[in-house]
Coordinates of all heavy atoms in Angstrom, one line a residue:
M12 N -2.1 2.6 -11.7 CA -1.3 1.6 -12.5 C -1.1 0.3 -11.7 O -0.8 0.4 -10.5 CB 0.1 2.3 -12.7 CG 1.0 1.4 -13.5 SD 2.8 1.9 -13.4 CE 2.7 3.7 -13.8
E13 N -1.4 -0.8 -12.3 CA -1.2 -2.1 -11.7 C 0.3 -2.3 -11.9 O 0.8 -2.1 -13.0 CB -2.0 -3.1 -12.3 CG -3.5 -2.9 -12.4 CD -4.1 -3.1 -11.0 OE1 -3.7 -4.0 -10.3 OE2 -5.1 -2.5 -10.7
A14 N 1.0 -2.8 -10.9 CA 2.4 -2.9 -11.1 C 3.0 -4.1 -10.4 O 2.5 -4.6 -9.4 CB 3.1 -1.7 -10.6
D15 N 4.1 -4.6 -10.9 CA 5.0 -5.5 -10.3 C 4.5 -6.9 -10.1 O 3.3 -7.1 -9.9 CB 5.4 -5.0 -8.9 CG 6.3 -3.8 -9.0 OD1 6.7 -3.4 -10.1 OD2 6.7 -3.2 -8.0
V16 N 5.4 -7.8 -10.0 CA 5.1 -9.2 -9.7 C 4.7 -9.2 -8.2 O 5.3 -8.5 -7.4 CB 6.4 -10.0 -9.8 CG1 6.1 -11.4 -9.4 CG2 6.9 -10.0 -11.2
Q17 N 3.7 -9.9 -7.9 CA 3.3 -9.9 -6.5 C 3.9 -11.1 -5.8 O 3.8 -12.2 -6.3 CB 1.8 -10.1 -6.3 CG 1.0 -8.9 -7.0 CD -0.5 -9.3 -7.0 OE1 -1.1 -9.6 -6.0 NE2 -1.0 -9.3 -8.2
D18 N 4.5 -11.0 -4.7 CA 4.9 -12.1 -3.9 C 4.3 -12.1 -2.5 O 4.5 -13.0 -1.7 CB 6.4 -12.4 -3.9 CG 7.2 -11.4 -3.1 OD1 6.6 -10.6 -2.4 OD2 8.4 -11.5 -3.2
A19 N 3.5 -11.1 -2.2 CA 2.7 -11.1 -1.0 C 1.2 -11.0 -1.4 O 0.8 -10.0 -2.0 CB 3.1 -10.0 -0.1
E20 N 0.5 -12.0 -1.1 CA -0.9 -12.1 -1.5 C -1.8 -11.1 -0.7 O -1.6 -10.9 0.5 CB -1.5 -13.5 -1.3 CG -0.9 -14.5 -2.2 CD -1.4 -14.4 -3.6 OE1 -2.6 -14.1 -3.8 OE2 -0.6 -14.5 -4.5
G21 N -2.7 -10.5 -1.4 CA -3.8 -9.7 -0.7 C -3.3 -8.4 -0.2 O -4.1 -7.7 0.5
L22 N -2.2 -7.9 -0.7 CA -1.7 -6.6 -0.3 C -1.6 -5.7 -1.5 O -1.1 -6.1 -2.5 CB -0.3 -6.7 0.4 CG -0.2 -7.5 1.6 CD1 1.2 -7.6 2.1 CD2 -1.1 -7.0 2.7
V23 N -2.1 -4.5 -1.3 CA -2.0 -3.5 -2.4 C -1.6 -2.1 -1.8 O -2.2 -1.7 -0.8 CB -3.4 -3.2 -3.2 CG1 -3.2 -2.2 -4.2 CG2 -3.9 -4.5 -3.8
L24 N -0.5 -1.6 -2.3 CA -0.1 -0.3 -1.8 C -0.6 0.8 -2.7 O -0.2 0.9 -3.8 CB 1.5 -0.2 -1.7 CG 2.0 1.0 -1.0 CD1 1.7 1.1 0.5 CD2 3.5 1.1 -1.2
Y25 N -1.4 1.7 -2.1 CA -1.9 2.9 -2.8 C -0.8 3.9 -2.6 O -0.5 4.2 -1.4 CB -3.3 3.3 -2.3 CG -4.4 2.4 -2.8 CD1 -4.5 1.1 -2.4 CD2 -5.3 2.8 -3.8 CE1 -5.5 0.2 -2.8 CE2 -6.3 2.0 -4.2 CZ -6.4 0.7 -3.8 OH -7.3 -0.2 -4.2
Q26 N -0.3 4.5 -3.6 CA 0.8 5.4 -3.5 C 1.0 6.3 -4.7 O 0.2 6.2 -5.6 CB 2.1 4.5 -3.3 CG 2.2 3.4 -4.3 CD 3.3 3.7 -5.3 OE1 4.4 4.2 -5.0 NE2 3.1 3.5 -6.6
T27 N 1.9 7.2 -4.6 CA 2.3 8.0 -5.7 C 3.9 7.9 -5.9 O 4.6 7.7 -4.9 CB 1.9 9.5 -5.7 OG1 2.5 10.1 -4.5 CG2 0.4 9.6 -5.6
E28 N 4.3 8.1 -7.1 CA 5.7 8.0 -7.4 C 6.6 8.9 -6.5 O 7.6 8.5 -6.0 CB 5.9 8.3 -8.9 CG 7.3 7.8 -9.4 CD 7.5 6.3 -9.3 OE1 6.5 5.6 -9.4 OE2 8.6 5.9 -9.2
G29 N 6.2 10.2 -6.4 CA 7.0 11.2 -5.8 C 6.9 11.4 -4.3 O 7.7 12.1 -3.7
C30 N 5.9 10.8 -3.7 CA 5.6 11.1 -2.3 C 6.8 10.4 -1.5 O 7.0 9.3 -1.6 CB 4.3 10.4 -1.9 SG 4.1 10.1 -0.2
P31 N 7.4 11.2 -0.6 CA 8.6 10.7 0.1 C 8.2 9.6 1.1 O 9.0 8.7 1.4 CB 9.1 11.9 0.9 CG 8.1 13.0 0.8 CD 7.2 12.7 -0.4
Y32 N 7.0 9.6 1.6 CA 6.5 8.6 2.5 C 6.3 7.3 1.8 O 6.5 6.2 2.3 CB 5.3 9.0 3.3 CG 5.4 10.3 4.0 CD1 5.0 11.5 3.4 CD2 6.1 10.4 5.2 CE1 5.2 12.7 4.0 CE2 6.3 11.6 5.8 CZ 5.9 12.8 5.2 OH 6.1 14.0 5.9
C33 N 5.9 7.4 0.5 CA 5.7 6.2 -0.4 C 7.0 5.7 -0.7 O 7.2 4.5 -0.8 CB 4.9 6.6 -1.6 SG 3.3 7.3 -1.3
V34 N 8.0 6.6 -1.0 CA 9.3 6.2 -1.3 C 9.9 5.3 -0.2 O 10.5 4.3 -0.4 CB 10.3 7.4 -1.6 CG1 11.7 7.0 -1.7 CG2 9.8 8.1 -2.9
K35 N 9.6 5.8 1.0 CA 10.1 5.1 2.2 C 9.6 3.7 2.3 O 10.4 2.7 2.5 CB 9.7 5.9 3.5 CG 10.3 5.4 4.8 CD 10.0 6.5 5.9 CE 8.7 6.0 6.6 NZ 8.4 6.8 7.8
V36 N 8.3 3.5 2.0 CA 7.7 2.1 2.0 C 8.3 1.3 0.8 O 8.6 0.1 1.0 CB 6.2 2.2 1.9 CG1 5.6 0.8 1.9 CG2 5.6 3.0 3.1
R37 N 8.4 1.9 -0.3 CA 8.9 1.2 -1.5 C 10.4 0.8 -1.2 O 10.8 -0.3 -1.6 CB 8.8 2.0 -2.8 CG 7.4 2.2 -3.2 CD 7.3 2.5 -4.7 NE 8.2 3.6 -5.1 CZ 7.8 4.9 -5.1 NH1 6.6 5.3 -4.7 NH2 8.7 5.8 -5.5
R38 N 11.2 1.7 -0.6 CA 12.6 1.3 -0.3 C 12.6 0.2 0.7 O 13.5 -0.7 0.6 CB 13.3 2.5 0.4 CG 13.8 3.5 -0.6 CD 15.0 4.2 -0.2 NE 15.3 5.2 -1.1 CZ 15.3 6.6 -0.9 NH1 15.1 7.0 0.3 NH2 15.5 7.4 -1.9
Y39 N 11.7 0.2 1.7 CA 11.7 -0.9 2.7 C 11.4 -2.2 1.9 O 12.1 -3.2 2.1 CB 10.6 -0.7 3.7 CG 10.3 -2.0 4.5 CD1 11.2 -2.5 5.4 CD2 9.2 -2.8 4.1 CE1 11.1 -3.7 6.0 CE2 9.1 -4.0 4.7 CZ 10.0 -4.5 5.6 OH 9.8 -5.7 6.2
L40 N 10.4 -2.2 1.0 CA 10.1 -3.4 0.2 C 11.3 -3.9 -0.6 O 11.6 -5.1 -0.6 CB 9.0 -3.1 -0.7 CG 7.6 -3.0 -0.1 CD1 6.6 -2.4 -1.0 CD2 7.1 -4.4 0.4
E41 N 12.0 -3.0 -1.1 CA 13.2 -3.3 -1.9 C 14.3 -3.9 -1.0 O 14.8 -5.0 -1.4 CB 13.8 -2.0 -2.5 CG 14.4 -2.1 -3.9 CD 14.8 -0.7 -4.4 OE1 13.9 0.1 -4.7 OE2 16.0 -0.5 -4.4
Q42 N 14.5 -3.3 0.1 CA 15.5 -3.9 1.1 C 15.1 -5.2 1.6 O 16.0 -6.1 1.8 CB 15.7 -2.9 2.2 CG 16.5 -1.7 1.9 CD 16.4 -0.6 2.9 OE1 15.8 -0.7 3.9 NE2 17.0 0.6 2.6
A43 N 13.8 -5.4 1.8 CA 13.3 -6.7 2.3 C 13.3 -7.8 1.2 O 13.0 -8.9 1.4 CB 11.9 -6.5 2.9
G44 N 13.5 -7.3 -0.1 CA 13.5 -8.2 -1.2 C 12.1 -8.8 -1.5 O 11.9 -9.9 -2.0
R45 N 11.1 -7.9 -1.2 CA 9.7 -8.3 -1.5 C 9.0 -7.3 -2.5 O 9.4 -6.2 -2.6 CB 8.9 -8.2 -0.2 CG 9.4 -9.1 0.9 CD 9.1 -10.5 0.7 NE 9.6 -11.3 1.8 CZ 9.0 -12.4 2.3 NH1 7.8 -12.7 1.8 NH2 9.5 -13.0 3.3
S46 N 8.0 -7.8 -3.1 CA 7.2 -6.9 -3.9 C 5.7 -7.1 -3.6 O 5.3 -8.3 -3.3 CB 7.5 -7.0 -5.4 OG 7.1 -8.2 -5.9
I47 N 5.0 -6.1 -3.7 CA 3.5 -6.2 -3.6 C 2.9 -5.4 -4.7 O 3.6 -4.6 -5.4 CB 3.0 -5.7 -2.2 CG1 3.2 -4.2 -2.0 CG2 3.6 -6.5 -1.1 CD1 2.7 -3.7 -0.7
E48 N 1.6 -5.6 -4.9 CA 1.0 -4.8 -6.0 C 1.0 -3.3 -5.6 O 0.7 -2.9 -4.4 CB -0.5 -5.3 -6.2 CG -1.1 -4.6 -7.3 CD -2.6 -5.0 -7.5 OE1 -2.9 -6.2 -7.1 OE2 -3.4 -4.3 -8.1
L49 N 1.4 -2.5 -6.5 CA 1.4 -1.0 -6.3 C 0.3 -0.4 -7.2 O 0.1 -0.7 -8.4 CB 2.7 -0.4 -6.7 CG 4.0 -1.0 -6.1 CD1 5.2 -0.3 -6.7 CD2 3.9 -0.8 -4.6
R50 N -0.5 0.6 -6.6 CA -1.4 1.3 -7.4 C -1.1 2.8 -7.2 O -1.2 3.3 -6.1 CB -2.8 1.1 -6.9 CG -3.6 0.2 -7.8 CD -4.9 -0.2 -7.3 NE -5.1 -1.7 -7.5 CZ -6.1 -2.4 -7.1 NH1 -7.0 -1.8 -6.4 NH2 -6.1 -3.7 -7.4
D51 N -0.7 3.4 -8.3 CA -0.3 4.8 -8.3 C -1.5 5.7 -8.6 O -2.2 5.5 -9.5 CB 0.8 5.1 -9.4 CG 1.5 6.4 -9.1 OD1 0.8 7.4 -8.9 OD2 2.8 6.4 -9.2
L52 N -1.7 6.6 -7.6 CA -2.9 7.5 -7.8 C -2.9 8.4 -9.0 O -3.9 8.8 -9.5 CB -3.1 8.3 -6.5 CG -4.0 7.7 -5.4 CD1 -3.7 6.3 -5.1 CD2 -4.0 8.6 -4.2
R53 N -1.7 8.8 -9.3 CA -1.5 9.7 -10.5 C -2.0 9.0 -11.7 O -1.4 8.0 -12.1 CB -0.1 10.2 -10.6 CG 0.5 10.9 -9.4 CD 0.4 12.4 -9.6 NE 0.5 13.1 -8.3 CZ 1.6 13.6 -7.9 NH1 2.7 13.7 -8.6 NH2 1.6 14.2 -6.7
G54 N -2.9 9.6 -12.4 CA -3.4 9.0 -13.7 C -4.3 7.8 -13.5 O -4.5 7.1 -14.5
T55 N -4.7 7.5 -12.3 CA -5.5 6.3 -12.0 C -6.7 6.7 -11.2 O -6.7 6.5 -10.0 CB -4.7 5.2 -11.3 OG1 -3.5 5.0 -11.9 CG2 -5.5 3.8 -11.4
P56 N -7.7 7.4 -11.8 CA -8.9 7.9 -11.1 C -9.6 6.8 -10.3 O -10.0 7.0 -9.2 CB -9.8 8.4 -12.2 CG -9.0 8.6 -13.4 CD -7.8 7.6 -13.3
D57 N -9.6 5.6 -10.8 CA -10.2 4.5 -10.1 C -9.6 4.3 -8.7 O -10.2 4.0 -7.7 CB -10.2 3.2 -10.8 CG -11.2 3.1 -12.0 OD1 -11.9 4.1 -12.1 OD2 -11.1 2.2 -12.7
A58 N -8.2 4.3 -8.7 CA -7.5 4.1 -7.5 C -7.8 5.2 -6.4 O -8.0 4.9 -5.3 CB -6.0 4.0 -7.7
V59 N -7.9 6.4 -6.9 CA -8.2 7.6 -6.1 C -9.6 7.3 -5.4 O -9.8 7.5 -4.2 CB -8.2 8.9 -6.8 CG1 -8.6 10.0 -5.9 CG2 -6.8 9.1 -7.4
Q60 N -10.6 7.0 -6.3 CA -11.9 6.8 -5.8 C -12.0 5.6 -4.8 O -12.7 5.7 -3.8 CB -12.9 6.5 -7.0 CG -13.1 7.7 -7.9 CD -13.4 8.9 -7.1 OE1 -14.2 8.9 -6.2 NE2 -12.7 10.0 -7.4
E61 N -11.3 4.5 -5.1 CA -11.3 3.4 -4.1 C -10.8 3.8 -2.8 O -11.3 3.5 -1.7 CB -10.4 2.3 -4.7 CG -10.9 1.5 -5.9 CD -9.8 0.8 -6.6 OE1 -8.7 0.6 -6.1 OE2 -10.1 0.3 -7.8
L62 N -9.7 4.6 -2.8 CA -9.0 5.0 -1.6 C -10.0 5.9 -0.8 O -10.2 5.7 0.4 CB -7.7 5.7 -1.9 CG -6.9 6.2 -0.7 CD1 -6.5 5.1 0.2 CD2 -5.7 7.0 -1.2
I63 N -10.5 6.9 -1.5 CA -11.4 7.9 -0.8 C -12.7 7.2 -0.3 O -13.1 7.4 0.9 CB -11.7 9.1 -1.7 CG1 -10.5 9.9 -1.9 CG2 -12.8 9.9 -1.1 CD1 -10.6 11.0 -3.0
A64 N -13.3 6.3 -1.1 CA -14.5 5.6 -0.7 C -14.3 4.8 0.6 O -15.1 4.7 1.5 CB -15.0 4.7 -1.8
A65 N -13.1 4.2 0.7 CA -12.8 3.3 1.8 C -12.4 4.0 3.0 O -12.7 3.6 4.1 CB -11.8 2.2 1.4
T66 N -11.6 5.1 2.8 CA -10.9 5.7 4.0 C -11.4 7.1 4.3 O -11.0 7.7 5.3 CB -9.4 5.7 3.8 OG1 -9.0 6.6 2.8 CG2 -8.9 4.3 3.5
R67 N -12.1 7.7 3.3 CA -12.5 9.1 3.4 C -11.3 10.0 3.4 O -11.4 11.2 3.8 CB -13.4 9.4 4.6 CG -14.5 8.4 4.8 CD -15.8 9.1 4.6 NE -16.9 8.2 4.7 CZ -17.7 7.9 3.7 NH1 -17.6 8.5 2.5 NH2 -18.6 7.0 3.8
R68 N -10.2 9.5 3.0 CA -9.0 10.3 2.9 C -8.3 10.0 1.6 O -8.4 8.9 1.0 CB -8.0 10.0 4.0 CG -8.5 10.4 5.4 CD -7.6 9.8 6.5 NE -6.2 10.2 6.4 CZ -5.2 9.7 7.2 NH1 -5.5 8.7 8.0 NH2 -4.0 10.2 7.1
R69 N -7.5 11.0 1.1 CA -6.7 10.7 -0.1 C -5.2 10.5 0.2 O -4.4 10.4 -0.7 CB -6.9 12.0 -1.0 CG -6.5 11.8 -2.5 CD -6.3 13.1 -3.2 NE -5.8 12.9 -4.6 CZ -4.6 12.5 -4.9 NH1 -3.7 12.3 -3.9 NH2 -4.3 12.4 -6.2
T70 N -4.9 10.5 1.4 CA -3.5 10.4 1.9 C -2.9 9.1 1.5 O -3.4 8.0 1.6 CB -3.4 10.6 3.4 OG1 -4.2 11.7 3.8 CG2 -2.0 10.7 3.9
V71 N -1.7 9.2 0.9 CA -0.8 8.1 0.6 C 0.5 8.2 1.4 O 0.9 9.3 1.7 CB -0.5 8.0 -0.9 CG1 -1.8 7.6 -1.7 CG2 0.1 9.3 -1.5
P72 N 1.1 7.1 1.7 CA 0.8 5.7 1.3 C -0.4 5.2 2.1 O -0.6 5.6 3.3 CB 2.1 4.9 1.6 CG 2.7 5.7 2.7 CD 2.4 7.1 2.5
C73 N -1.1 4.2 1.5 CA -2.1 3.5 2.3 C -2.1 2.0 1.8 O -2.1 1.8 0.6 CB -3.5 4.1 2.0 SG -4.8 3.3 3.0
L74 N -2.0 1.1 2.8 CA -1.9 -0.3 2.4 C -3.3 -0.9 2.6 O -3.9 -0.8 3.6 CB -1.0 -1.0 3.4 CG -0.7 -2.5 3.1 CD1 0.1 -2.7 1.8 CD2 0.1 -3.1 4.3
R75 N -3.8 -1.6 1.5 CA -5.0 -2.3 1.5 C -4.7 -3.8 1.8 O -3.9 -4.4 1.1 CB -5.8 -2.2 0.2 CG -7.2 -2.7 0.3 CD -7.9 -2.7 -1.0 NE -7.5 -3.9 -1.8 CZ -8.0 -4.3 -3.0 NH1 -8.9 -3.5 -3.5 NH2 -7.6 -5.4 -3.6
I76 N -5.3 -4.3 2.9 CA -5.0 -5.6 3.3 C -6.3 -6.5 3.2 O -7.3 -6.1 3.8 CB -4.6 -5.6 4.8 CG1 -3.4 -4.7 5.0 CG2 -4.3 -7.0 5.3 CD1 -3.2 -4.2 6.5
E77 N -6.2 -7.5 2.4 CA -7.4 -8.4 2.2 C -7.5 -9.3 3.4 O -6.6 -10.2 3.6 CB -7.4 -9.1 0.9 CG -8.7 -9.8 0.6 CD -8.8 -10.3 -0.8 OE1 -7.8 -10.6 -1.5 OE2 -9.9 -10.3 -1.3
T78 N -8.5 -9.2 4.2 CA -8.5 -10.0 5.4 C -9.4 -11.3 5.2 O -9.3 -12.3 6.0 CB -9.2 -9.2 6.6 OG1 -10.4 -8.7 6.2 CG2 -8.2 -8.1 7.0
A79 N -10.3 -11.2 4.2 CA -11.1 -12.4 3.8 C -11.4 -12.0 2.4 O -11.3 -10.9 2.0 CB -12.3 -12.5 4.7
P80 N -11.9 -13.0 1.6 CA -12.2 -12.7 0.2 C -13.2 -11.5 0.1 O -14.3 -11.6 0.6 CB -12.8 -14.0 -0.4 CG -12.2 -15.0 0.4 CD -12.0 -14.5 1.8
G81 N -12.7 -10.4 -0.5 CA -13.6 -9.2 -0.6 C -13.7 -8.3 0.6 O -14.3 -7.3 0.5
D82 N -13.0 -8.7 1.7 CA -13.0 -7.8 2.9 C -11.6 -7.2 3.0 O -10.6 -7.9 2.9 CB -13.3 -8.6 4.1 CG -14.7 -9.0 4.2 OD1 -15.5 -8.4 3.5 OD2 -15.0 -9.9 5.0
F83 N -11.6 -5.9 3.3 CA -10.3 -5.2 3.3 C -10.2 -4.3 4.6 O -11.2 -3.8 5.0 CB -10.2 -4.3 2.1 CG -10.3 -5.0 0.8 CD1 -11.5 -4.9 0.0 CD2 -9.3 -5.8 0.3 CE1 -11.6 -5.6 -1.2 CE2 -9.4 -6.5 -0.9 CZ -10.6 -6.4 -1.6
E84 N -9.0 -4.3 5.1 CA -8.6 -3.3 6.0 C -7.6 -2.3 5.3 O -6.9 -2.7 4.5 CB -7.9 -3.9 7.3 CG -8.9 -4.5 8.2 CD -8.2 -5.2 9.4 OE1 -7.0 -5.0 9.6 OE2 -8.9 -5.9 10.1
W85 N -7.7 -1.1 5.8 CA -6.8 0.0 5.2 C -5.9 0.6 6.2 O -6.4 1.0 7.3 CB -7.7 1.0 4.5 CG -8.6 0.5 3.4 CD1 -9.7 -0.2 3.6 CD2 -8.4 0.7 2.0 NE1 -10.3 -0.5 2.3 CE2 -9.5 0.0 1.4 CE3 -7.5 1.3 1.2 CZ2 -9.6 0.0 0.0 CZ3 -7.6 1.3 -0.1 CH2 -8.7 0.7 -0.8
L86 N -4.7 0.6 5.9 CA -3.7 1.1 6.9 C -2.9 2.3 6.3 O -2.2 2.2 5.3 CB -2.7 -0.1 7.2 CG -1.6 0.2 8.3 CD1 -2.3 0.5 9.6 CD2 -0.7 -1.1 8.3
H87 N -3.1 3.4 7.0 CA -2.3 4.6 6.7 C -1.0 4.7 7.5 O -0.9 3.9 8.4 CB -3.1 5.9 6.9 CG -4.1 6.3 5.9 ND1 -5.5 6.1 6.0 CD2 -3.9 6.7 4.6 CE1 -6.1 6.5 4.9 NE2 -5.1 6.9 4.0
E88 N -0.2 5.7 7.2 CA 1.0 5.9 8.0 C 2.2 5.0 7.5 O 2.1 3.8 7.8 CB 0.8 5.9 9.5 CG 0.0 7.0 10.0 CD 0.6 8.4 9.8 OE1 1.8 8.5 9.8 OE2 -0.2 9.3 9.5
S89 N 3.2 5.6 6.9 CA 4.3 4.8 6.4 C 4.9 3.9 7.4 O 5.3 2.8 7.2 CB 5.3 5.7 5.7 OG 5.7 6.8 6.6
A90 N 5.1 4.5 8.6 CA 5.8 3.7 9.7 C 5.0 2.5 10.1 O 5.5 1.4 10.3 CB 6.1 4.6 10.9
D91 N 3.7 2.7 10.2 CA 2.8 1.6 10.6 C 2.7 0.6 9.4 O 2.6 -0.6 9.7 CB 1.4 2.1 10.8 CG 1.3 3.0 12.1 OD1 2.3 2.9 12.9 OD2 0.3 3.7 12.3
I92 N 2.7 1.0 8.2 CA 2.7 0.1 7.1 C 4.0 -0.7 7.1 O 3.9 -2.0 6.9 CB 2.6 0.9 5.7 CG1 1.2 1.5 5.6 CG2 2.9 0.0 4.5 CD1 1.1 2.6 4.5
I93 N 5.1 -0.1 7.3 CA 6.4 -0.9 7.3 C 6.4 -1.9 8.5 O 6.8 -3.0 8.3 CB 7.6 0.1 7.4 CG1 7.7 0.8 6.1 CG2 8.9 -0.6 7.7 CD1 8.7 2.0 6.1
D94 N 5.9 -1.4 9.6 CA 5.8 -2.4 10.8 C 4.9 -3.6 10.5 O 5.3 -4.7 10.8 CB 5.3 -1.7 12.0 CG 6.3 -0.7 12.7 OD1 7.5 -0.8 12.3 OD2 5.9 0.1 13.5
Y95 N 3.8 -3.3 9.8 CA 2.9 -4.4 9.5 C 3.6 -5.3 8.5 O 3.5 -6.6 8.6 CB 1.6 -3.8 8.8 CG 0.7 -4.9 8.3 CD1 -0.2 -5.6 9.1 CD2 0.8 -5.3 7.0 CE1 -1.0 -6.6 8.6 CE2 0.1 -6.4 6.5 CZ -0.8 -7.0 7.3 OH -1.6 -8.0 6.8
L96 N 4.2 -4.8 7.5 CA 4.8 -5.6 6.4 C 6.0 -6.4 7.1 O 6.1 -7.6 6.8 CB 5.4 -4.7 5.3 CG 4.4 -4.0 4.4 CD1 5.0 -3.1 3.5 CD2 3.5 -5.1 3.6
A97 N 6.7 -5.8 7.9 CA 7.9 -6.5 8.6 C 7.3 -7.7 9.4 O 7.9 -8.8 9.3 CB 8.7 -5.6 9.4
A98 N 6.3 -7.5 10.1 CA 5.7 -8.6 10.9 C 5.1 -9.7 10.0 O 5.3 -10.9 10.3 CB 4.6 -8.0 11.8
R99 N 4.5 -9.3 9.0 CA 3.9 -10.2 8.1 C 4.9 -11.1 7.3 O 4.8 -12.3 7.2 CB 3.0 -9.5 7.1 CG 2.4 -10.4 6.1 CD 1.0 -10.1 5.7 NE 0.7 -10.9 4.5 CZ -0.4 -10.8 3.9 NH1 -1.3 -10.0 4.3 NH2 -0.6 -11.6 2.8
F100 N 6.0 -10.4 6.9 CA 7.0 -11.1 6.2 C 7.8 -12.1 7.1 O 8.2 -13.1 6.7 CB 8.0 -10.1 5.5 CG 7.4 -9.3 4.4 CD1 8.0 -8.0 4.1 CD2 6.3 -9.7 3.7 CE1 7.4 -7.3 3.1 CE2 5.8 -9.0 2.7 CZ 6.3 -7.7 2.4
A101 N 7.9 -11.6 8.4 CA 8.6 -12.5 9.4 C 7.7 -13.7 9.6 O 8.3 -14.8 9.7 CB 8.8 -11.7 10.7
E102 N 6.4 -13.6 9.6 CA 5.5 -14.7 9.8 C 5.6 -15.7 8.6 O 5.6 -16.9 8.8 CB 4.1 -14.2 9.9 CG 3.4 -14.3 11.2 CD 2.0 -13.6 11.1 OE1 1.3 -13.9 10.1 OE2 1.7 -12.8 12.0
E103 N 5.6 -15.1 7.4 CA 5.5 -15.9 6.2 C 6.9 -16.5 5.9 O 7.0 -17.5 5.2 CB 5.1 -15.0 5.0 CG 3.6 -14.6 5.1 CD 3.2 -13.7 4.0 OE1 4.0 -13.3 3.1 OE2 2.0 -13.3 4.0
G104 N 7.9 -15.9 6.5 CA 9.3 -16.5 6.2 C 9.8 -16.2 4.9 O 9.2 -15.7 4.0
Ligands
GSH203 N1 2.5 10.7 8.2 C1 2.1 10.2 6.9 C2 2.3 11.4 5.9 C3 1.7 11.0 4.6 C4 1.5 12.3 3.7 O1 1.6 13.4 4.1 N2 1.3 12.0 2.4 C5 1.0 13.1 1.5 C6 1.8 12.9 0.2 S1 3.6 13.0 0.4 C7 -0.4 13.1 1.0 O2 -1.0 12.1 0.7 N3 -1.1 14.3 1.1 C8 -2.4 14.5 0.6 C9 -3.5 14.3 1.6 O3 -3.2 14.0 2.8 O4 -4.6 14.5 1.3 C10 3.0 9.0 6.6 O5 4.1 8.8 7.1 O6 2.5 8.2 5.8

């Protein structure tokens, strides 16, 4: 599912609704007053395939970071994702 107004460019969170680690990241976003594009793996086979093709894992949450047009880095681990987002939001102000 494509979701939400984006206010951070080039970021997509691959996630599922019920995963507690995904909830942690979504809660952080809510508290930070930010939103990014969310892709829910449930019912979105394309998102599952994208994640597995890029990372060889199906684990969520995973943050896709566009580093240049069409180039992506993929970041697993909810704590690392939150640290990355916090640093990025601090930079962007
Ligand atoms: N340590 C990870 C745990 C992530 C995790 O266990 N995610 C589960 C869903 S709640 C998952 O994707 N399991 C399926 C898999 O790893 O293939 C984090 O904090 O992000």
Side-chain angles (χ1 to χ4, degrees):
M12 184 195 307
E13 305 282 330
D15 288 357
V16 176
Q17 299 170 54
D18 69 6
E20 289 290 319
L22 299 177
V23 179
L24 184 68
Y25 286 69
Q26 51 106 43
T27 61
E28 195 62 32
C30 160
Y32 305 98
C33 303
V34 170
K35 191 169 94 173
V36 177
R37 292 201 309 270
R38 277 209 189 118
Y39 165 75
L40 285 165
E41 217 175 287
Q42 283 163 7
R45 303 285 183 139
S46 67
I47 64 176
E48 184 179 336
L49 304 178
R50 255 174 226 173
D51 197 312
L52 266 51
R53 300 261 162 102
T55 316
D57 284 357
V59 177
Q60 290 314 314
E61 287 161 13
L62 180 62
I63 292 172
T66 71
R67 311 247 174 245
R68 296 168 61 187
R69 195 197 175 287
T70 309
V71 288
C73 186
L74 183 68
R75 192 188 78 176
I76 304 160
E77 188 165 33
T78 52
D82 286 344
F83 303 105
E84 282 179 9
W85 298 74
L86 182 62
H87 277 111
E88 292 299 324
S89 52
D91 293 343
I92 292 170
I93 290 170
D94 284 350
Y95 173 85
L96 291 171
R99 176 143 168 183
F100 295 154
E102 250 176 46
E103 289 177 359

